[in-house]
Amino acid sequence: LKLNPDHLKSRLMLVSYSLQEGKTQEVGPEIQKILEKGKLLPPKEHALAYYYFSQYFTTIKKFDSALIAIREAIKLDRGNHDYFLEYYTLKAELGGKAATDTREVDMYIYLRDGEKKLKAGLYHEALTQFLKASDKNPKNILPFIRIGDMFWNLHDVVNARINYEKAALAAPNDIDVWSKYIRTLIESYEWELAENAMDKFRSMQV
C-alpha cells in the first residue's frame, strides 16, 4: 500500500492499540517504518510516533535510544507534558546508573515530579518542584525554562520573562531560549529592551 498521510495515521493508531494491549516489544519495526515517512504526518502525530518509539526502546532497555526518540518528540510538540515527563524519567534513569554526583539526577527527578503536577493543573506544587530542581543544579537552565513556560502558559508574562532571562544569560548561544525571552519583552511592549536583547544575543555568538 502507498504510504500517504491518512494511511500512516491508521498505522499509528494500530501501534497505539498494540501498546494498550501490552505488545510493546512487537511494535518497534512498525514504528520504524512509520518514521521513515514521518514527515508526511502532521507534527503532533509525527511526535507521537517518536514517543511510541521511545516507549519501545525503554521496554527493551535501550535507554540511550529511548532518550534520542523522546527528544525528537519534544522538538515536534513542545506542549505535551507526557513527553517531558518521559524525558526527565529517562534522564534520571540514565544518570542514576552512572553518576557519582547525584545532584543532576535529583534535578531530573524534581523536574519529573513538577511535570506530573503541572499536567494535573497543580501549578503551585509544580513550581515548588521546579524550584527544588533549580536548587539542586543552579547552573542548568532547564528548570528556568520550564518555570518560564509554565508562567507563559498562565499568561503571566512578567514571571515568564524573569525566568527566561535567567536561562538566556546562562545560555548565550541557545537561540530557542533567547527567542522565548525576547518574545516576553515584545509582549510587554519593552521595545528597547527587546532590541538590546537581540543585540546582546548577536554579540555573544561565536
Side-chain angles (χ1 to χ4, degrees), residues 14-45:
L14 290 174
V15 167
S16 176
Y17 292 148
S18 295
L19 290 171
Q20 290 172 25
E21 293 172 359
K23 300 176 181 178
T24 310
Q25 292 191 24
E26 301 173 16
V27 299
E30 179 65 15
I31 301 172
Q32 190 165 9
K33 289 178 184 176
I34 293 170
L35 286 171
E36 286 172 0
K37 301 290 184 179
K39 291 183 179 179
L40 294 174
L41 287 166
K44 286 186 181 296
E45 280 81 0

PDB file of all heavy atoms in Angstrom, residues 14-45:
ATOM      1  N   LEU A  14      -2.936   1.737  14.919  1.00  0.00           N
ATOM      2  CA  LEU A  14      -2.767   0.314  15.202  1.00  0.00           C
ATOM      3  C   LEU A  14      -1.634   0.093  16.207  1.00  0.00           C
ATOM      4  O   LEU A  14      -1.729  -0.778  17.079  1.00  0.00           O
ATOM      5  CB  LEU A  14      -2.477  -0.448  13.902  1.00  0.00           C
ATOM      6  CG  LEU A  14      -3.644  -0.563  12.923  1.00  0.00           C
ATOM      7  CD1 LEU A  14      -3.183  -1.206  11.623  1.00  0.00           C
ATOM      8  CD2 LEU A  14      -4.789  -1.374  13.535  1.00  0.00           C
ATOM      9  N   VAL A  15      -0.567   0.893  16.080  1.00  0.00           N
ATOM     10  CA  VAL A  15       0.525   0.826  17.050  1.00  0.00           C
ATOM     11  C   VAL A  15       0.005   1.176  18.443  1.00  0.00           C
ATOM     12  O   VAL A  15       0.342   0.518  19.436  1.00  0.00           O
ATOM     13  CB  VAL A  15       1.673   1.776  16.654  1.00  0.00           C
ATOM     14  CG1 VAL A  15       2.666   1.942  17.810  1.00  0.00           C
ATOM     15  CG2 VAL A  15       2.400   1.251  15.422  1.00  0.00           C
ATOM     16  N   SER A  16      -0.840   2.203  18.520  1.00  0.00           N
ATOM     17  CA  SER A  16      -1.422   2.617  19.796  1.00  0.00           C
ATOM     18  C   SER A  16      -2.215   1.483  20.434  1.00  0.00           C
ATOM     19  O   SER A  16      -2.100   1.215  21.634  1.00  0.00           O
ATOM     20  CB  SER A  16      -2.324   3.839  19.583  1.00  0.00           C
ATOM     21  OG  SER A  16      -2.971   4.196  20.778  1.00  0.00           O
ATOM     22  N   TYR A  17      -3.019   0.795  19.618  1.00  0.00           N
ATOM     23  CA  TYR A  17      -3.798  -0.335  20.134  1.00  0.00           C
ATOM     24  C   TYR A  17      -2.876  -1.438  20.653  1.00  0.00           C
ATOM     25  O   TYR A  17      -3.135  -2.031  21.708  1.00  0.00           O
ATOM     26  CB  TYR A  17      -4.697  -0.904  19.035  1.00  0.00           C
ATOM     27  CG  TYR A  17      -5.819   0.017  18.607  1.00  0.00           C
ATOM     28  CD1 TYR A  17      -6.296   0.012  17.295  1.00  0.00           C
ATOM     29  CD2 TYR A  17      -6.409   0.902  19.512  1.00  0.00           C
ATOM     30  CE1 TYR A  17      -7.314   0.850  16.894  1.00  0.00           C
ATOM     31  CE2 TYR A  17      -7.435   1.763  19.118  1.00  0.00           C
ATOM     32  CZ  TYR A  17      -7.872   1.728  17.803  1.00  0.00           C
ATOM     33  OH  TYR A  17      -8.885   2.574  17.405  1.00  0.00           O
ATOM     34  N   SER A  18      -1.796  -1.702  19.926  1.00  0.00           N
ATOM     35  CA  SER A  18      -0.849  -2.735  20.352  1.00  0.00           C
ATOM     36  C   SER A  18      -0.202  -2.379  21.684  1.00  0.00           C
ATOM     37  O   SER A  18      -0.024  -3.234  22.555  1.00  0.00           O
ATOM     38  CB  SER A  18       0.241  -2.935  19.288  1.00  0.00           C
ATOM     39  OG  SER A  18      -0.310  -3.438  18.090  1.00  0.00           O
ATOM     40  N   LEU A  19       0.128  -1.097  21.851  1.00  0.00           N
ATOM     41  CA  LEU A  19       0.730  -0.654  23.110  1.00  0.00           C
ATOM     42  C   LEU A  19      -0.253  -0.801  24.260  1.00  0.00           C
ATOM     43  O   LEU A  19       0.124  -1.200  25.364  1.00  0.00           O
ATOM     44  CB  LEU A  19       1.192   0.803  22.979  1.00  0.00           C
ATOM     45  CG  LEU A  19       2.396   1.050  22.069  1.00  0.00           C
ATOM     46  CD1 LEU A  19       2.615   2.545  21.859  1.00  0.00           C
ATOM     47  CD2 LEU A  19       3.651   0.419  22.642  1.00  0.00           C
ATOM     48  N   GLN A  20      -1.520  -0.476  24.015  1.00  0.00           N
ATOM     49  CA  GLN A  20      -2.541  -0.608  25.051  1.00  0.00           C
ATOM     50  C   GLN A  20      -2.730  -2.065  25.471  1.00  0.00           C
ATOM     51  O   GLN A  20      -3.093  -2.357  26.609  1.00  0.00           O
ATOM     52  CB  GLN A  20      -3.868  -0.034  24.553  1.00  0.00           C
ATOM     53  CG  GLN A  20      -3.882   1.481  24.407  1.00  0.00           C
ATOM     54  CD  GLN A  20      -5.130   2.000  23.737  1.00  0.00           C
ATOM     55  OE1 GLN A  20      -6.183   1.362  23.764  1.00  0.00           O
ATOM     56  NE2 GLN A  20      -5.037   3.156  23.101  1.00  0.00           N
ATOM     57  N   GLU A  21      -2.463  -2.973  24.535  1.00  0.00           N
ATOM     58  CA  GLU A  21      -2.594  -4.404  24.825  1.00  0.00           C
ATOM     59  C   GLU A  21      -1.313  -4.983  25.425  1.00  0.00           C
ATOM     60  O   GLU A  21      -1.224  -6.180  25.658  1.00  0.00           O
ATOM     61  CB  GLU A  21      -2.956  -5.155  23.540  1.00  0.00           C
ATOM     62  CG  GLU A  21      -4.352  -4.810  23.018  1.00  0.00           C
ATOM     63  CD  GLU A  21      -4.611  -5.420  21.642  1.00  0.00           C
ATOM     64  OE1 GLU A  21      -3.701  -6.084  21.102  1.00  0.00           O
ATOM     65  OE2 GLU A  21      -5.720  -5.230  21.123  1.00  0.00           O
ATOM     66  N   GLY A  22      -0.311  -4.123  25.629  1.00  0.00           N
ATOM     67  CA  GLY A  22       0.928  -4.576  26.244  1.00  0.00           C
ATOM     68  C   GLY A  22       1.899  -5.233  25.286  1.00  0.00           C
ATOM     69  O   GLY A  22       2.848  -5.902  25.708  1.00  0.00           O
ATOM     70  N   LYS A  23       1.707  -5.016  23.991  1.00  0.00           N
ATOM     71  CA  LYS A  23       2.576  -5.643  22.981  1.00  0.00           C
ATOM     72  C   LYS A  23       3.698  -4.689  22.564  1.00  0.00           C
ATOM     73  O   LYS A  23       3.999  -4.552  21.381  1.00  0.00           O
ATOM     74  CB  LYS A  23       1.750  -6.055  21.766  1.00  0.00           C
ATOM     75  CG  LYS A  23       0.640  -7.057  22.087  1.00  0.00           C
ATOM     76  CD  LYS A  23      -0.200  -7.356  20.853  1.00  0.00           C
ATOM     77  CE  LYS A  23      -1.308  -8.334  21.168  1.00  0.00           C
ATOM     78  NZ  LYS A  23      -2.176  -8.594  19.979  1.00  0.00           N
ATOM     79  N   THR A  24       4.309  -4.047  23.530  1.00  0.00           N
ATOM     80  CA  THR A  24       5.297  -3.001  23.239  1.00  0.00           C
ATOM     81  C   THR A  24       6.485  -3.529  22.450  1.00  0.00           C
ATOM     82  O   THR A  24       6.966  -2.874  21.521  1.00  0.00           O
ATOM     83  CB  THR A  24       5.790  -2.369  24.556  1.00  0.00           C
ATOM     84  OG1 THR A  24       4.663  -2.010  25.356  1.00  0.00           O
ATOM     85  CG2 THR A  24       6.626  -1.128  24.280  1.00  0.00           C
ATOM     86  N   GLN A  25       6.975  -4.715  22.793  1.00  0.00           N
ATOM     87  CA  GLN A  25       8.170  -5.231  22.131  1.00  0.00           C
ATOM     88  C   GLN A  25       7.934  -5.585  20.668  1.00  0.00           C
ATOM     89  O   GLN A  25       8.877  -5.707  19.893  1.00  0.00           O
ATOM     90  CB  GLN A  25       8.692  -6.459  22.883  1.00  0.00           C
ATOM     91  CG  GLN A  25       9.236  -6.125  24.264  1.00  0.00           C
ATOM     92  CD  GLN A  25       9.995  -7.289  24.881  1.00  0.00           C
ATOM     93  OE1 GLN A  25      10.486  -8.153  24.171  1.00  0.00           O
ATOM     94  NE2 GLN A  25      10.097  -7.307  26.199  1.00  0.00           N
ATOM     95  N   GLU A  26       6.673  -5.713  20.281  1.00  0.00           N
ATOM     96  CA  GLU A  26       6.358  -6.139  18.918  1.00  0.00           C
ATOM     97  C   GLU A  26       6.224  -4.974  17.936  1.00  0.00           C
ATOM     98  O   GLU A  26       6.191  -5.195  16.721  1.00  0.00           O
ATOM     99  CB  GLU A  26       5.057  -6.956  18.914  1.00  0.00           C
ATOM    100  CG  GLU A  26       5.117  -8.201  19.791  1.00  0.00           C
ATOM    101  CD  GLU A  26       3.769  -8.896  19.899  1.00  0.00           C
ATOM    102  OE1 GLU A  26       2.884  -8.604  19.063  1.00  0.00           O
ATOM    103  OE2 GLU A  26       3.594  -9.720  20.816  1.00  0.00           O
ATOM    104  N   VAL A  27       6.145  -3.753  18.454  1.00  0.00           N
ATOM    105  CA  VAL A  27       5.790  -2.630  17.579  1.00  0.00           C
ATOM    106  C   VAL A  27       6.997  -1.887  17.010  1.00  0.00           C
ATOM    107  O   VAL A  27       6.836  -1.023  16.153  1.00  0.00           O
ATOM    108  CB  VAL A  27       4.880  -1.616  18.316  1.00  0.00           C
ATOM    109  CG1 VAL A  27       3.586  -2.267  18.753  1.00  0.00           C
ATOM    110  CG2 VAL A  27       5.599  -0.990  19.512  1.00  0.00           C
ATOM    111  N   GLY A  28       8.200  -2.205  17.473  1.00  0.00           N
ATOM    112  CA  GLY A  28       9.384  -1.467  17.035  1.00  0.00           C
ATOM    113  C   GLY A  28       9.545  -1.368  15.529  1.00  0.00           C
ATOM    114  O   GLY A  28       9.669  -0.266  14.986  1.00  0.00           O
ATOM    115  N   PRO A  29       9.541  -2.495  14.802  1.00  0.00           N
ATOM    116  CA  PRO A  29       9.714  -2.422  13.348  1.00  0.00           C
ATOM    117  C   PRO A  29       8.629  -1.608  12.652  1.00  0.00           C
ATOM    118  O   PRO A  29       8.912  -0.883  11.691  1.00  0.00           O
ATOM    119  CB  PRO A  29       9.652  -3.898  12.926  1.00  0.00           C
ATOM    120  CG  PRO A  29      10.083  -4.653  14.147  1.00  0.00           C
ATOM    121  CD  PRO A  29       9.531  -3.876  15.297  1.00  0.00           C
ATOM    122  N   GLU A  30       7.399  -1.709  13.146  1.00  0.00           N
ATOM    123  CA  GLU A  30       6.301  -0.956  12.532  1.00  0.00           C
ATOM    124  C   GLU A  30       6.480   0.547  12.740  1.00  0.00           C
ATOM    125  O   GLU A  30       6.279   1.340  11.820  1.00  0.00           O
ATOM    126  CB  GLU A  30       4.963  -1.414  13.123  1.00  0.00           C
ATOM    127  CG  GLU A  30       3.747  -0.676  12.579  1.00  0.00           C
ATOM    128  CD  GLU A  30       3.511  -0.918  11.091  1.00  0.00           C
ATOM    129  OE1 GLU A  30       4.098  -1.858  10.520  1.00  0.00           O
ATOM    130  OE2 GLU A  30       2.746  -0.141  10.494  1.00  0.00           O
ATOM    131  N   ILE A  31       6.888   0.937  13.944  1.00  0.00           N
ATOM    132  CA  ILE A  31       7.116   2.362  14.206  1.00  0.00           C
ATOM    133  C   ILE A  31       8.255   2.878  13.337  1.00  0.00           C
ATOM    134  O   ILE A  31       8.190   3.992  12.809  1.00  0.00           O
ATOM    135  CB  ILE A  31       7.440   2.608  15.697  1.00  0.00           C
ATOM    136  CG1 ILE A  31       6.303   2.125  16.586  1.00  0.00           C
ATOM    137  CG2 ILE A  31       7.680   4.097  15.950  1.00  0.00           C
ATOM    138  CD1 ILE A  31       6.625   2.144  18.068  1.00  0.00           C
ATOM    139  N   GLN A  32       9.279   2.084  13.188  1.00  0.00           N
ATOM    140  CA  GLN A  32      10.412   2.500  12.353  1.00  0.00           C
ATOM    141  C   GLN A  32       9.972   2.757  10.920  1.00  0.00           C
ATOM    142  O   GLN A  32      10.401   3.732  10.286  1.00  0.00           O
ATOM    143  CB  GLN A  32      11.502   1.434  12.387  1.00  0.00           C
ATOM    144  CG  GLN A  32      12.808   1.884  11.748  1.00  0.00           C
ATOM    145  CD  GLN A  32      13.963   0.987  12.099  1.00  0.00           C
ATOM    146  OE1 GLN A  32      13.775  -0.074  12.690  1.00  0.00           O
ATOM    147  NE2 GLN A  32      15.160   1.398  11.756  1.00  0.00           N
ATOM    148  N   LYS A  33       9.090   1.903  10.393  1.00  0.00           N
ATOM    149  CA  LYS A  33       8.572   2.099   9.038  1.00  0.00           C
ATOM    150  C   LYS A  33       7.771   3.396   8.951  1.00  0.00           C
ATOM    151  O   LYS A  33       7.857   4.139   7.969  1.00  0.00           O
ATOM    152  CB  LYS A  33       7.694   0.916   8.636  1.00  0.00           C
ATOM    153  CG  LYS A  33       8.457  -0.365   8.384  1.00  0.00           C
ATOM    154  CD  LYS A  33       7.507  -1.499   8.048  1.00  0.00           C
ATOM    155  CE  LYS A  33       8.251  -2.821   7.882  1.00  0.00           C
ATOM    156  NZ  LYS A  33       7.314  -3.948   7.637  1.00  0.00           N
ATOM    157  N   ILE A  34       6.979   3.671   9.981  1.00  0.00           N
ATOM    158  CA  ILE A  34       6.187   4.904  10.003  1.00  0.00           C
ATOM    159  C   ILE A  34       7.106   6.117  10.019  1.00  0.00           C
ATOM    160  O   ILE A  34       6.900   7.088   9.285  1.00  0.00           O
ATOM    161  CB  ILE A  34       5.244   4.920  11.230  1.00  0.00           C
ATOM    162  CG1 ILE A  34       4.171   3.830  11.088  1.00  0.00           C
ATOM    163  CG2 ILE A  34       4.588   6.293  11.398  1.00  0.00           C
ATOM    164  CD1 ILE A  34       3.340   3.611  12.340  1.00  0.00           C
ATOM    165  N   LEU A  35       8.147   6.064  10.836  1.00  0.00           N
ATOM    166  CA  LEU A  35       9.061   7.204  10.972  1.00  0.00           C
ATOM    167  C   LEU A  35       9.884   7.445   9.707  1.00  0.00           C
ATOM    168  O   LEU A  35      10.325   8.568   9.465  1.00  0.00           O
ATOM    169  CB  LEU A  35       9.975   7.011  12.176  1.00  0.00           C
ATOM    170  CG  LEU A  35       9.305   7.215  13.537  1.00  0.00           C
ATOM    171  CD1 LEU A  35      10.229   6.799  14.668  1.00  0.00           C
ATOM    172  CD2 LEU A  35       8.870   8.660  13.705  1.00  0.00           C
ATOM    173  N   GLU A  36      10.067   6.419   8.917  1.00  0.00           N
ATOM    174  CA  GLU A  36      10.785   6.611   7.654  1.00  0.00           C
ATOM    175  C   GLU A  36      10.051   7.576   6.735  1.00  0.00           C
ATOM    176  O   GLU A  36      10.654   8.247   5.902  1.00  0.00           O
ATOM    177  CB  GLU A  36      10.975   5.254   6.954  1.00  0.00           C
ATOM    178  CG  GLU A  36      12.049   4.388   7.617  1.00  0.00           C
ATOM    179  CD  GLU A  36      12.096   2.982   7.043  1.00  0.00           C
ATOM    180  OE1 GLU A  36      11.280   2.696   6.121  1.00  0.00           O
ATOM    181  OE2 GLU A  36      12.927   2.176   7.504  1.00  0.00           O
ATOM    182  N   LYS A  37       8.724   7.642   6.899  1.00  0.00           N
ATOM    183  CA  LYS A  37       7.895   8.580   6.129  1.00  0.00           C
ATOM    184  C   LYS A  37       7.225   9.594   7.051  1.00  0.00           C
ATOM    185  O   LYS A  37       6.210  10.181   6.717  1.00  0.00           O
ATOM    186  CB  LYS A  37       6.808   7.812   5.359  1.00  0.00           C
ATOM    187  CG  LYS A  37       7.352   6.778   4.382  1.00  0.00           C
ATOM    188  CD  LYS A  37       8.027   7.448   3.196  1.00  0.00           C
ATOM    189  CE  LYS A  37       8.486   6.410   2.180  1.00  0.00           C
ATOM    190  NZ  LYS A  37       9.134   7.030   1.004  1.00  0.00           N
ATOM    191  N   GLY A  38       7.833   9.783   8.230  1.00  0.00           N
ATOM    192  CA  GLY A  38       7.205  10.592   9.271  1.00  0.00           C
ATOM    193  C   GLY A  38       6.913  12.027   8.880  1.00  0.00           C
ATOM    194  O   GLY A  38       5.974  12.642   9.386  1.00  0.00           O
ATOM    195  N   LYS A  39       7.709  12.583   7.957  1.00  0.00           N
ATOM    196  CA  LYS A  39       7.498  13.981   7.561  1.00  0.00           C
ATOM    197  C   LYS A  39       6.182  14.189   6.820  1.00  0.00           C
ATOM    198  O   LYS A  39       5.747  15.325   6.633  1.00  0.00           O
ATOM    199  CB  LYS A  39       8.674  14.460   6.719  1.00  0.00           C
ATOM    200  CG  LYS A  39       9.961  14.606   7.525  1.00  0.00           C
ATOM    201  CD  LYS A  39      11.101  15.148   6.687  1.00  0.00           C
ATOM    202  CE  LYS A  39      12.361  15.298   7.534  1.00  0.00           C
ATOM    203  NZ  LYS A  39      13.512  15.802   6.747  1.00  0.00           N
ATOM    204  N   LEU A  40       5.553  13.088   6.391  1.00  0.00           N
ATOM    205  CA  LEU A  40       4.233  13.192   5.769  1.00  0.00           C
ATOM    206  C   LEU A  40       3.140  13.431   6.805  1.00  0.00           C
ATOM    207  O   LEU A  40       2.039  13.848   6.467  1.00  0.00           O
ATOM    208  CB  LEU A  40       3.913  11.912   4.992  1.00  0.00           C
ATOM    209  CG  LEU A  40       4.780  11.613   3.759  1.00  0.00           C
ATOM    210  CD1 LEU A  40       4.436  10.238   3.201  1.00  0.00           C
ATOM    211  CD2 LEU A  40       4.590  12.685   2.692  1.00  0.00           C
ATOM    212  N   LEU A  41       3.468  13.150   8.066  1.00  0.00           N
ATOM    213  CA  LEU A  41       2.494  13.305   9.144  1.00  0.00           C
ATOM    214  C   LEU A  41       2.467  14.742   9.661  1.00  0.00           C
ATOM    215  O   LEU A  41       3.488  15.437   9.611  1.00  0.00           O
ATOM    216  CB  LEU A  41       2.847  12.389  10.310  1.00  0.00           C
ATOM    217  CG  LEU A  41       2.609  10.891  10.131  1.00  0.00           C
ATOM    218  CD1 LEU A  41       3.321  10.119  11.236  1.00  0.00           C
ATOM    219  CD2 LEU A  41       1.120  10.578  10.151  1.00  0.00           C
ATOM    220  N   PRO A  42       1.334  15.202  10.201  1.00  0.00           N
ATOM    221  CA  PRO A  42       1.325  16.475  10.926  1.00  0.00           C
ATOM    222  C   PRO A  42       2.272  16.379  12.124  1.00  0.00           C
ATOM    223  O   PRO A  42       2.528  15.272  12.627  1.00  0.00           O
ATOM    224  CB  PRO A  42      -0.135  16.604  11.395  1.00  0.00           C
ATOM    225  CG  PRO A  42      -0.915  15.711  10.492  1.00  0.00           C
ATOM    226  CD  PRO A  42       0.003  14.571  10.134  1.00  0.00           C
ATOM    227  N   PRO A  43       2.824  17.506  12.588  1.00  0.00           N
ATOM    228  CA  PRO A  43       3.830  17.475  13.662  1.00  0.00           C
ATOM    229  C   PRO A  43       3.418  16.694  14.904  1.00  0.00           C
ATOM    230  O   PRO A  43       4.233  15.953  15.471  1.00  0.00           O
ATOM    231  CB  PRO A  43       4.043  18.959  13.981  1.00  0.00           C
ATOM    232  CG  PRO A  43       3.722  19.658  12.699  1.00  0.00           C
ATOM    233  CD  PRO A  43       2.605  18.868  12.076  1.00  0.00           C
ATOM    234  N   LYS A  44       2.173  16.829  15.352  1.00  0.00           N
ATOM    235  CA  LYS A  44       1.766  16.147  16.582  1.00  0.00           C
ATOM    236  C   LYS A  44       1.753  14.627  16.411  1.00  0.00           C
ATOM    237  O   LYS A  44       2.160  13.887  17.317  1.00  0.00           O
ATOM    238  CB  LYS A  44       0.388  16.647  17.031  1.00  0.00           C
ATOM    239  CG  LYS A  44       0.416  18.045  17.625  1.00  0.00           C
ATOM    240  CD  LYS A  44      -0.924  18.446  18.193  1.00  0.00           C
ATOM    241  CE  LYS A  44      -0.902  19.859  18.754  1.00  0.00           C
ATOM    242  NZ  LYS A  44       0.008  20.014  19.889  1.00  0.00           N
ATOM    243  N   GLU A  45       1.298  14.146  15.256  1.00  0.00           N
ATOM    244  CA  GLU A  45       1.309  12.710  15.007  1.00  0.00           C
ATOM    245  C   GLU A  45       2.742  12.202  14.808  1.00  0.00           C
ATOM    246  O   GLU A  45       3.087  11.105  15.237  1.00  0.00           O
ATOM    247  CB  GLU A  45       0.458  12.362  13.782  1.00  0.00           C
ATOM    248  CG  GLU A  45      -1.026  12.308  14.046  1.00  0.00           C
ATOM    249  CD  GLU A  45      -1.670  13.683  14.039  1.00  0.00           C
ATOM    250  OE1 GLU A  45      -0.954  14.686  13.823  1.00  0.00           O
ATOM    251  OE2 GLU A  45      -2.902  13.755  14.244  1.00  0.00           O
TER     252      GLU A  45
END
